[in-house]
Amino acid sequence: MATHDGSTRYHHGNLRPTLLSVARALLEEGGPAALSIREIGRRSGVSAPAAYHYFNSLDAIAAALAEQGFVELSESIDAALAGPRRNLLAGGIAYVAFARANPGLYRLMFGEGFQAYSKGNEAIRALRMQVYRQMKDDLEKRLTPGDVPNAALFLWSLTHGLALLMIDGQVEPDAKVEDILKLAGMGLPAAR
């Protein structure tokens, strides 16, 4: 589209998905610290003010990415739980696999670099709790109601910790995720 001074204006249509895609690529390149509206705009082919039209702050971009990540993580766990194994082990394996495939996004989802938005954002909190509930649902078939919250927190802590150890390179990349997670289930009673 030509302007009155003869220059060409860039028309992008719906820029929001492009901005998020570019931000996610930046995240995977350099972690949450690599996010910058100026760089996201530059790589998207627009100015920083154009990016601000869709996201009023870097926290807003981080929140949108975290929401996207929790939706994808939940879908990964759901797919694993709907598969032939249909158990917590399958869900735990899917959880760790998601973190390993998306280390920058995974860190951001749990607030790295953006603690303020992470603690106060109700949408992110609800999505985080949805992942937690996915673990609790299976435990409710195995344990008394009073034991479920602690068992769910134990399993989430285990999978989250293992995921972080793996994406930080503190554990060998060929570590047997399934064998490690199986150890948690050795003391759990069979499903009722």
Side-chain angles (χ1 to χ4, degrees), residues 20-182:
L20 285 175
S21 177
V22 167
R24 189 157 173 178
L26 271 172
L27 217 97
E28 295 309 332
E29 287 173 23
L35 290 180
S36 144
I37 288 190
R38 183 175 309 281
E39 183 62 13
I40 293 167
R42 187 188 72 73
R43 288 190 184 192
S44 298
V46 299
S47 67
Y52 275 112
H53 177 75
Y54 289 89
F55 296 100
N56 64 3
S57 69
L58 194 54
D59 281 352
I61 291 175
L65 287 169
E67 288 177 23
Q68 188 179 73
F70 276 113
V71 167
E72 290 175 19
L73 174 58
S74 183
E75 289 170 352
S76 295
I77 293 170
D78 276 345
L81 295 176
R85 297 176 93 174
R86 298 176 190 229
N87 60 26
L88 279 171
L89 180 59
I93 292 168
Y95 185 105
V96 173
F98 175 86
R100 291 178 76 183
N102 305 282
L105 179 62
Y106 184 78
R107 289 179 188 290
L108 178 79
M109 289 163 55
F110 288 93
E112 185 176 309
F114 295 88
Q115 286 293 328
Y117 91 80
S118 179
K119 289 182 180 172
N121 186 302
E122 284 304 312
I124 292 171
R125 185 183 172 299
L127 289 166
R128 190 179 296 134
M129 287 298 99
Q130 179 178 331
V131 171
Y132 175 72
R133 276 192 304 278
Q134 287 171 296
M135 286 184 258
K136 276 182 63 178
D137 288 348
D138 189 73
L139 289 171
E140 288 171 349
K141 299 172 193 166
R142 300 169 181 263
L143 303 170
T144 62
D147 291 335
V148 171
N150 286 341
L153 184 56
F154 165 75
L155 291 176
W156 194 6
S157 298
L158 174 66
T159 53
H160 181 71
L162 180 58
L164 285 175
L165 287 169
M166 294 189 98
I167 65 177
D168 284 344
Q170 301 298 317
V171 175
E172 294 299 319
D174 62 346
K176 306 288 187 253
V177 173
E178 182 173 349
D179 292 344
I180 294 165
L181 295 177
K182 273 183 185 178

